[in-house]
Amino acid sequence: MSRVVRLAHIGAFTALGLTAHALVNLRLLRVAPPADGPGRELVTVLLPLRNEASQAQRCIEAVQSALTAHGRAELIIVDDCSTDGTTDVVRAVIAADPRVRLISGERLPTGWLGKSHACQQAADAADDDSTLLVFIDADVELAVDALRRIERLIRGTGLAQVSPYPRQVAETAAERLVQPLLQWSWLTLLPLRVAERSNRPALGAANGQLFAVDASAYRHVGGHGSVRGHVLEDLELLKCLKRHGFHGSVTDGTDLACCRMYHGWSDLREGYAKSLWAAFGSPVGAVMSVSFLATVYLLPPLAWLSRPRDTVAALGTASGIVGRAVVAHRVGGRVWPDSVAHPLSVLALAWLTARSWWLHACGGLTWKGRAL
Protein backbone atom coordinates (compact mmCIF):
# COMPACT_ATOMS: atom_id res chain seq x y z
CA MET A 1 0.00 0.00 0.00
CA SER A 2 1.46 3.36 -1.03
CA ARG A 3 1.92 6.30 1.33
CA VAL A 4 -0.74 8.26 -0.52
CA VAL A 5 -3.29 5.48 -0.05
CA ARG A 6 -2.39 5.17 3.64
CA LEU A 7 -2.85 8.92 4.02
CA ALA A 8 -6.17 8.67 2.20
CA HIS A 9 -7.30 5.96 4.62
CA ILE A 10 -6.30 8.13 7.59
CA GLY A 11 -8.33 10.93 6.05
CA ALA A 12 -11.26 8.57 5.51
CA PHE A 13 -11.40 7.49 9.15
CA THR A 14 -11.02 11.12 10.22
CA ALA A 15 -13.95 12.08 8.00
CA LEU A 16 -16.03 9.39 9.64
CA GLY A 17 -15.15 10.70 13.10
CA LEU A 18 -15.86 14.30 12.15
CA THR A 19 -19.25 13.40 10.73
CA ALA A 20 -20.09 11.65 14.00
CA HIS A 21 -18.93 14.79 15.82
CA ALA A 22 -21.20 16.93 13.64
CA LEU A 23 -24.16 14.72 14.56
CA VAL A 24 -23.38 15.27 18.25
CA ASN A 25 -23.07 19.02 17.71
CA LEU A 26 -26.41 19.14 15.91
CA ARG A 27 -28.04 17.67 19.01
CA LEU A 28 -26.23 20.14 21.28
CA LEU A 29 -26.84 23.19 19.10
CA ARG A 30 -28.71 25.80 21.11
CA VAL A 31 -32.00 27.02 19.68
CA ALA A 32 -33.65 30.23 20.81
CA PRO A 33 -36.77 29.41 22.86
CA PRO A 34 -40.18 30.51 21.57
CA ALA A 35 -41.25 34.04 22.34
CA ASP A 36 -43.73 34.32 25.21
CA GLY A 37 -45.09 37.83 25.08
CA PRO A 38 -43.24 41.13 24.57
CA GLY A 39 -39.61 41.66 25.42
CA ARG A 40 -38.60 42.50 28.97
CA GLU A 41 -35.45 44.54 28.33
CA LEU A 42 -34.57 47.51 26.18
CA VAL A 43 -32.82 46.01 23.16
CA THR A 44 -30.84 48.11 20.70
CA VAL A 45 -30.34 46.88 17.14
CA LEU A 46 -27.27 48.38 15.48
CA LEU A 47 -26.98 48.50 11.70
CA PRO A 48 -23.85 49.84 9.95
CA LEU A 49 -24.39 50.72 6.29
CA ARG A 50 -21.90 51.61 3.57
CA ASN A 51 -23.20 51.64 0.00
CA GLU A 52 -26.11 49.34 0.72
CA ALA A 53 -28.83 51.12 -1.25
CA SER A 54 -29.94 47.88 -2.87
CA GLN A 55 -30.42 46.02 0.42
CA ALA A 56 -31.16 48.62 3.08
CA GLN A 57 -34.93 48.77 2.66
CA ARG A 58 -35.51 45.04 3.01
CA CYS A 59 -33.27 44.83 6.07
CA ILE A 60 -34.72 47.86 7.85
CA GLU A 61 -38.34 46.90 7.26
CA ALA A 62 -37.68 43.46 8.75
CA VAL A 63 -36.07 45.06 11.80
CA GLN A 64 -39.00 47.43 12.21
CA SER A 65 -41.39 44.48 12.31
CA ALA A 66 -39.18 42.84 14.94
CA LEU A 67 -39.15 46.08 16.97
CA THR A 68 -42.94 46.13 16.98
CA ALA A 69 -43.17 42.51 18.09
CA HIS A 70 -40.62 43.05 20.85
CA GLY A 71 -42.24 46.17 22.26
CA ARG A 72 -39.13 47.68 23.91
CA ALA A 73 -36.48 48.01 21.24
CA GLU A 74 -34.77 50.62 19.11
CA LEU A 75 -32.77 50.68 15.88
CA ILE A 76 -29.69 52.81 15.32
CA ILE A 77 -28.39 53.08 11.76
CA VAL A 78 -24.95 54.47 10.95
CA ASP A 79 -24.48 55.59 7.37
CA ASP A 80 -20.75 55.05 6.92
CA CYS A 81 -20.02 57.70 4.29
CA SER A 82 -22.09 56.00 1.56
CA THR A 83 -21.89 57.32 -1.98
CA ASP A 84 -24.68 55.33 -3.65
CA GLY A 85 -27.84 56.90 -2.25
CA THR A 86 -28.08 54.72 0.85
CA THR A 87 -28.97 57.72 2.99
CA ASP A 88 -31.99 58.62 0.83
CA VAL A 89 -33.23 55.02 0.91
CA VAL A 90 -32.95 54.90 4.69
CA ARG A 91 -34.74 58.19 5.23
CA ALA A 92 -37.60 57.12 3.01
CA VAL A 93 -37.99 53.81 4.86
CA ILE A 94 -37.78 55.05 8.44
CA ALA A 95 -39.90 58.16 7.78
CA ALA A 96 -40.96 59.44 11.21
CA ASP A 97 -40.46 56.18 13.11
CA PRO A 98 -39.44 57.35 16.61
CA ARG A 99 -37.78 54.00 17.34
CA VAL A 100 -35.18 54.50 14.60
CA ARG A 101 -32.25 56.92 14.52
CA LEU A 102 -30.03 57.59 11.52
CA ILE A 103 -26.51 58.80 12.25
CA SER A 104 -24.09 60.16 9.69
CA GLY A 105 -20.82 58.34 10.22
CA GLU A 106 -17.63 60.22 10.94
CA ARG A 107 -14.53 59.99 8.79
CA LEU A 108 -12.51 56.85 9.37
CA PRO A 109 -9.73 57.49 11.91
CA THR A 110 -6.26 56.04 11.53
CA GLY A 111 -5.99 52.50 12.84
CA TRP A 112 -9.67 51.65 12.41
CA LEU A 113 -11.40 49.52 9.81
CA GLY A 114 -14.72 50.78 8.55
CA LYS A 115 -17.17 48.27 9.99
CA SER A 116 -15.74 48.35 13.51
CA HIS A 117 -15.78 52.16 13.49
CA ALA A 118 -19.41 52.26 12.34
CA CYS A 119 -20.43 49.64 14.92
CA GLN A 120 -18.73 51.60 17.70
CA GLN A 121 -20.51 54.80 16.70
CA ALA A 122 -23.83 52.98 16.75
CA ALA A 123 -23.12 51.46 20.18
CA ASP A 124 -22.11 54.85 21.56
CA ALA A 125 -25.49 56.23 20.48
CA ALA A 126 -27.52 53.46 22.16
CA ASP A 127 -29.92 54.42 24.91
CA ASP A 128 -28.24 54.38 28.32
CA ASP A 129 -30.91 51.99 29.57
CA SER A 130 -30.27 49.46 26.79
CA THR A 131 -29.07 46.14 28.22
CA LEU A 132 -28.69 44.09 25.05
CA LEU A 133 -26.97 45.11 21.80
CA VAL A 134 -27.76 43.26 18.58
CA PHE A 135 -25.45 44.00 15.65
CA ILE A 136 -26.69 43.02 12.20
CA ASP A 137 -25.49 43.33 8.62
CA ALA A 138 -27.45 44.92 5.81
CA ASP A 139 -27.90 41.60 4.00
CA VAL A 140 -29.71 40.08 6.99
CA GLU A 141 -33.49 39.84 7.30
CA LEU A 142 -34.77 39.28 10.83
CA ALA A 143 -37.81 37.16 11.59
CA VAL A 144 -40.65 38.98 13.35
CA ASP A 145 -40.01 37.27 16.69
CA ALA A 146 -36.21 37.31 16.43
CA LEU A 147 -35.47 39.98 19.04
CA ARG A 148 -37.75 38.46 21.66
CA ARG A 149 -36.23 35.02 21.12
CA ILE A 150 -32.64 36.30 21.14
CA GLU A 151 -33.32 38.06 24.44
CA ARG A 152 -34.67 34.86 25.95
CA LEU A 153 -31.76 32.85 24.55
CA ILE A 154 -28.99 35.02 25.93
CA ARG A 155 -30.59 35.51 29.33
CA GLY A 156 -31.66 31.89 29.64
CA THR A 157 -28.14 30.60 28.98
CA GLY A 158 -26.26 33.13 31.09
CA LEU A 159 -23.94 33.81 28.16
CA ALA A 160 -22.62 37.30 27.54
CA GLN A 161 -22.72 36.87 23.77
CA VAL A 162 -24.48 34.73 21.19
CA SER A 163 -24.24 34.60 17.40
CA PRO A 164 -27.47 33.04 16.10
CA TYR A 165 -26.23 31.90 12.69
CA PRO A 166 -28.73 33.02 10.02
CA ARG A 167 -29.93 30.64 7.34
CA GLN A 168 -27.52 31.18 4.45
CA VAL A 169 -29.29 31.81 1.15
CA ALA A 170 -27.27 30.55 -1.85
CA GLU A 171 -28.72 30.86 -5.33
CA THR A 172 -25.99 30.60 -7.97
CA ALA A 173 -23.73 27.60 -8.49
CA ALA A 174 -20.75 29.42 -6.95
CA GLU A 175 -22.72 30.36 -3.85
CA ARG A 176 -24.08 26.82 -3.47
CA LEU A 177 -20.54 25.45 -3.78
CA VAL A 178 -18.90 27.65 -1.14
CA GLN A 179 -21.43 29.24 1.21
CA PRO A 180 -22.62 26.01 2.91
CA LEU A 181 -19.06 25.53 4.21
CA LEU A 182 -19.65 28.36 6.68
CA GLN A 183 -22.03 26.45 8.92
CA TRP A 184 -20.63 23.05 8.05
CA SER A 185 -17.17 24.05 9.27
CA TRP A 186 -18.00 25.03 12.85
CA LEU A 187 -20.64 22.35 13.28
CA THR A 188 -18.12 19.73 12.15
CA LEU A 189 -14.89 20.98 13.73
CA LEU A 190 -15.83 22.98 16.84
CA PRO A 191 -16.78 21.20 20.08
CA LEU A 192 -19.71 23.47 20.87
CA ARG A 193 -20.19 22.87 24.59
CA VAL A 194 -16.46 22.93 25.31
CA ALA A 195 -16.05 26.15 23.34
CA GLU A 196 -19.02 27.71 25.09
CA ARG A 197 -17.59 27.12 28.55
CA SER A 198 -13.95 27.76 27.71
CA ASN A 199 -12.19 31.09 28.16
CA ARG A 200 -9.53 30.13 25.62
CA PRO A 201 -9.72 32.89 22.98
CA ALA A 202 -8.80 30.50 20.18
CA LEU A 203 -11.72 28.18 20.93
CA GLY A 204 -14.92 29.66 19.59
CA ALA A 205 -16.84 30.92 16.59
CA ALA A 206 -18.84 34.07 15.93
CA ASN A 207 -20.74 35.67 13.08
CA GLY A 208 -21.07 39.42 12.65
CA GLN A 209 -24.14 38.98 10.47
CA LEU A 210 -26.13 38.65 13.70
CA PHE A 211 -24.15 39.26 16.88
CA ALA A 212 -25.91 39.82 20.21
CA VAL A 213 -23.97 40.88 23.29
CA ASP A 214 -24.77 42.00 26.80
CA ALA A 215 -24.33 45.78 26.83
CA SER A 216 -22.35 45.93 30.07
CA ALA A 217 -19.96 43.17 28.92
CA TYR A 218 -19.48 44.95 25.60
CA ARG A 219 -18.56 48.21 27.30
CA HIS A 220 -16.37 46.44 29.85
CA VAL A 221 -14.06 45.07 27.15
CA GLY A 222 -13.92 48.34 25.22
CA GLY A 223 -16.44 47.51 22.53
CA HIS A 224 -15.31 47.52 18.93
CA GLY A 225 -12.49 49.83 19.91
CA SER A 226 -10.72 46.77 21.24
CA VAL A 227 -10.77 45.15 17.77
CA ARG A 228 -10.57 48.30 15.67
CA GLY A 229 -7.96 47.06 13.19
CA HIS A 230 -9.18 43.48 12.68
CA VAL A 231 -10.88 42.30 9.49
CA LEU A 232 -12.73 39.53 11.37
CA GLU A 233 -14.02 41.87 14.05
CA ASP A 234 -16.77 39.48 15.14
CA LEU A 235 -14.40 36.63 16.01
CA GLU A 236 -11.89 39.01 17.60
CA LEU A 237 -14.59 40.58 19.76
CA LEU A 238 -15.59 37.13 21.02
CA LYS A 239 -11.92 36.43 21.81
CA CYS A 240 -11.73 39.71 23.69
CA LEU A 241 -14.80 38.82 25.74
CA LYS A 242 -13.28 35.44 26.57
CA ARG A 243 -10.03 37.05 27.71
CA HIS A 244 -12.07 39.09 30.19
CA GLY A 245 -13.85 36.05 31.60
CA PHE A 246 -17.09 36.24 29.63
CA HIS A 247 -18.59 33.37 27.65
CA GLY A 248 -20.11 33.32 24.20
CA SER A 249 -21.25 30.88 21.57
CA VAL A 250 -22.55 30.42 18.06
CA THR A 251 -26.15 29.16 18.09
CA ASP A 252 -28.87 28.16 15.66
CA GLY A 253 -30.37 31.16 13.91
CA THR A 254 -32.08 29.29 11.08
CA ASP A 255 -35.55 30.46 12.14
CA LEU A 256 -34.41 33.88 13.38
CA ALA A 257 -32.90 35.38 10.24
CA CYS A 258 -31.72 34.72 6.71
CA CYS A 259 -28.81 36.18 4.80
CA ARG A 260 -27.68 36.15 1.20
CA MET A 261 -24.07 37.12 1.75
CA TYR A 262 -22.90 37.24 -1.87
CA HIS A 263 -24.48 37.39 -5.32
CA GLY A 264 -22.55 35.27 -7.79
CA TRP A 265 -18.94 34.20 -8.27
CA SER A 266 -17.32 37.62 -8.65
CA ASP A 267 -18.97 39.01 -5.52
CA LEU A 268 -18.13 35.87 -3.55
CA ARG A 269 -14.52 35.76 -4.75
CA GLU A 270 -13.82 39.35 -3.71
CA GLY A 271 -15.66 38.95 -0.42
CA TYR A 272 -13.59 35.97 0.62
CA ALA A 273 -10.40 37.64 -0.59
CA LYS A 274 -10.76 40.35 2.07
CA SER A 275 -11.19 37.96 4.99
CA LEU A 276 -9.83 34.45 4.40
CA TRP A 277 -6.22 35.52 4.92
CA ALA A 278 -7.15 36.45 8.50
CA ALA A 279 -9.23 33.34 9.22
CA PHE A 280 -6.33 30.99 9.93
CA GLY A 281 -4.03 33.31 11.85
CA SER A 282 -0.93 33.02 9.65
CA PRO A 283 0.26 31.58 6.32
CA VAL A 284 1.46 28.50 8.18
CA GLY A 285 -1.93 28.14 9.85
CA ALA A 286 -3.65 28.49 6.49
CA VAL A 287 -1.44 25.83 4.88
CA MET A 288 -1.96 23.44 7.79
CA SER A 289 -5.73 23.94 7.84
CA VAL A 290 -6.17 23.58 4.10
CA SER A 291 -3.86 20.54 4.05
CA PHE A 292 -5.93 18.93 6.78
CA LEU A 293 -9.18 19.50 4.90
CA ALA A 294 -7.62 18.19 1.69
CA THR A 295 -6.40 15.05 3.44
CA VAL A 296 -9.80 14.36 4.96
CA TYR A 297 -12.14 15.38 2.14
CA LEU A 298 -10.13 15.29 -1.11
CA LEU A 299 -7.75 12.34 -0.80
CA PRO A 300 -10.41 9.68 -0.04
CA PRO A 301 -12.50 10.53 -3.15
CA LEU A 302 -9.36 10.59 -5.31
CA ALA A 303 -8.23 7.25 -3.89
CA TRP A 304 -11.68 5.77 -4.45
CA LEU A 305 -11.83 7.00 -8.06
CA SER A 306 -8.47 5.40 -8.77
CA ARG A 307 -9.25 2.24 -6.77
CA PRO A 308 -13.03 1.58 -7.00
CA ARG A 309 -12.75 -1.46 -4.72
CA ASP A 310 -11.11 0.53 -1.92
CA THR A 311 -13.89 0.30 0.66
CA VAL A 312 -12.09 2.51 3.18
CA ALA A 313 -11.74 5.33 0.66
CA ALA A 314 -15.39 4.85 -0.33
CA LEU A 315 -16.42 5.05 3.32
CA GLY A 316 -14.44 8.26 3.78
CA THR A 317 -15.97 9.79 0.65
CA ALA A 318 -19.46 8.88 1.79
CA SER A 319 -18.78 10.21 5.29
CA GLY A 320 -17.84 13.62 3.94
CA ILE A 321 -20.95 13.80 1.78
CA VAL A 322 -23.24 12.61 4.57
CA GLY A 323 -21.71 15.10 7.00
CA ARG A 324 -22.36 17.93 4.58
CA ALA A 325 -25.90 16.65 3.92
CA VAL A 326 -27.02 16.36 7.56
CA VAL A 327 -25.76 19.86 8.33
CA ALA A 328 -27.51 21.27 5.27
CA HIS A 329 -30.76 19.56 6.26
CA ARG A 330 -30.55 20.98 9.78
CA VAL A 331 -29.78 24.59 8.82
CA GLY A 332 -32.16 24.93 5.89
CA GLY A 333 -29.67 24.51 3.06
CA ARG A 334 -29.90 22.45 -0.12
CA VAL A 335 -29.10 18.82 0.59
CA TRP A 336 -28.99 17.19 -2.85
CA PRO A 337 -27.23 17.39 -5.18
CA ASP A 338 -25.10 20.07 -3.49
CA SER A 339 -23.69 17.76 -0.80
CA VAL A 340 -22.19 15.46 -3.42
CA ALA A 341 -19.97 18.36 -4.52
CA HIS A 342 -18.38 18.62 -1.06
CA PRO A 343 -14.85 17.67 -2.28
CA LEU A 344 -15.12 20.41 -4.91
CA SER A 345 -16.23 22.84 -2.21
CA VAL A 346 -13.09 22.11 -0.21
CA LEU A 347 -11.00 22.56 -3.36
CA ALA A 348 -12.67 25.93 -4.02
CA LEU A 349 -11.98 27.00 -0.42
CA ALA A 350 -8.31 26.10 -0.83
CA TRP A 351 -8.05 28.25 -3.97
CA LEU A 352 -9.88 31.18 -2.36
CA THR A 353 -7.59 31.00 0.67
CA ALA A 354 -4.44 30.98 -1.47
CA ARG A 355 -5.73 33.92 -3.51
CA SER A 356 -6.61 35.89 -0.37
CA TRP A 357 -3.11 35.43 1.04
CA TRP A 358 -1.53 36.38 -2.29
CA LEU A 359 -3.53 39.61 -2.51
CA HIS A 360 -2.80 40.37 1.13
CA ALA A 361 0.93 39.90 0.57
CA CYS A 362 0.77 42.17 -2.50
CA GLY A 363 -1.19 44.84 -0.64
CA GLY A 364 -4.04 44.55 -3.09
CA LEU A 365 -7.00 44.06 -0.76
CA THR A 366 -9.83 46.58 -0.77
CA TRP A 367 -13.46 46.52 0.35
CA LYS A 368 -16.16 49.00 -0.59
CA GLY A 369 -13.61 51.49 -1.81
CA ARG A 370 -11.28 51.29 1.18
CA ALA A 371 -7.88 49.65 1.41
CA LEU A 372 -7.56 46.92 4.02
Side-chain angles (χ1 to χ4, degrees):
M1 186 183 297
S2 70
R3 288 185 178 181
V4 174
V5 173
R6 288 194 191 96
L7 192 58
H9 285 184
I10 292 172
F13 286 119
T14 304
L16 181 62
L18 289 175
T19 294
H21 181 252
L23 292 171
V24 172
N25 266 344
L26 288 170
R27 290 186 63 85
L28 296 176
L29 184 61
R30 291 193 184 276
V31 179
D36 58 346
R40 297 177 177 85
E41 304 178 32
L42 176 57
V43 175
T44 300
V45 181
L46 308 115
L47 173 61
L49 297 176
R50 178 173 171 81
N51 295 339
E52 300 286 3
S54 63
Q55 303 191 106
Q57 180 174 349
R58 194 163 49 245
C59 175
I60 294 170
E61 288 177 344
V63 174
Q64 287 175 309
S65 296
L67 297 181
T68 300
H70 184 276
R72 293 193 67 211
E74 63 174 353
L75 169 62
I76 297 175
I77 303 170
V78 174
D79 177 20
D80 186 19
C81 306
S82 296
T83 59
D84 68 341
T86 294
T87 304
D88 294 333
V89 172
V90 173
R91 286 175 177 159
V93 174
I94 66 176
D97 191 337
R99 307 166 302 174
V100 184
R101 279 181 283 165
L102 172 62
I103 298 171
S104 295
E106 301 173 358
R107 291 185 61 184
L108 189 63
T110 302
W112 285 79
L113 290 183
K115 183 178 178 181
S116 288
H117 188 232
C119 286
Q120 187 64 62
Q121 292 175 80
D124 290 341
D127 191 293
D128 291 339
D129 294 328
S130 179
T131 55
L132 183 61
L133 306 177
V134 180
F135 295 91
I136 69 167
D137 285 349
D139 47 13
V140 171
E141 292 183 51
L142 289 181
V144 172
D145 60 351
L147 296 179
R148 292 183 294 164
R149 295 181 64 189
I150 290 172
E151 180 188 309
R152 290 199 64 195
L153 173 65
I154 199 167
R155 298 314 182 200
T157 58
L159 297 170
Q161 179 274 335
V162 295
S163 290
Y165 220 104
R167 179 174 62 84
Q168 299 298 302
V169 178
E171 298 294 342
T172 66
E175 295 167 62
R176 290 167 61 182
L177 185 67
V178 177
Q179 287 304 96
L181 292 178
L182 292 174
Q183 287 154 300
W184 169 86
S185 60
W186 56 265
L187 278 166
T188 300
L189 302 171
L190 181 69
L192 286 180
R193 284 293 183 268
V194 175
E196 184 179 293
R197 298 188 181 99
S198 173
N199 284 121
R200 291 180 58 192
L203 193 59
N207 184 2
Q209 294 174 355
L210 184 54
F211 187 101
V213 59
D214 177 81
S216 61
Y218 175 82
R219 297 185 183 103
H220 179 82
V221 304
H224 277 82
S226 62
V227 297
R228 66 189 66 187
H230 291 278
V231 173
L232 299 177
E233 85 295 329
D234 46 7
L235 183 57
E236 294 301 324
L237 187 52
L238 172 61
K239 291 180 180 180
C240 187
L241 287 162
K242 283 176 171 283
R243 281 192 290 267
H244 284 81
F246 297 104
H247 296 272
S249 180
V250 64
T251 64
D252 182 20
T254 305
D255 296 330
L256 300 180
C258 65
C259 174
R260 186 176 182 186
M261 193 172 175
Y262 299 118
H263 295 254
W265 170 247
S266 177
D267 194 22
L268 181 148
R269 182 191 62 208
E270 299 312 310
Y272 278 102
K274 76 176 175 65
S275 59
L276 271 180
W277 69 268
F280 302 105
S282 68
V284 174
V287 170
M288 291 179 63
S289 299
V290 170
S291 297
F292 172 79
L293 292 175
T295 300
V296 177
Y297 297 108
L298 287 180
L299 276 186
L302 290 174
W304 179 50
L305 288 174
S306 64
R307 296 157 50 99
R309 295 184 179 181
D310 189 334
T311 56
V312 175
L315 177 64
T317 302
S319 295
I321 293 172
V322 169
R324 170 79 171 263
V326 295
V327 169
H329 176 74
R330 177 66 176 75
V331 301
R334 286 185 174 93
V335 178
W336 307 111
D338 296 33
S339 299
V340 179
H342 186 62
L344 295 179
S345 297
V346 172
L347 186 62
L349 177 65
W351 183 84
L352 289 167
T353 302
R355 181 175 183 270
S356 178
W357 269 107
W358 172 256
L359 291 174
H360 174 67
C362 296
L365 291 178
T366 61
W367 188 245
K368 294 191 176 180
R370 288 172 172 161
L372 294 176

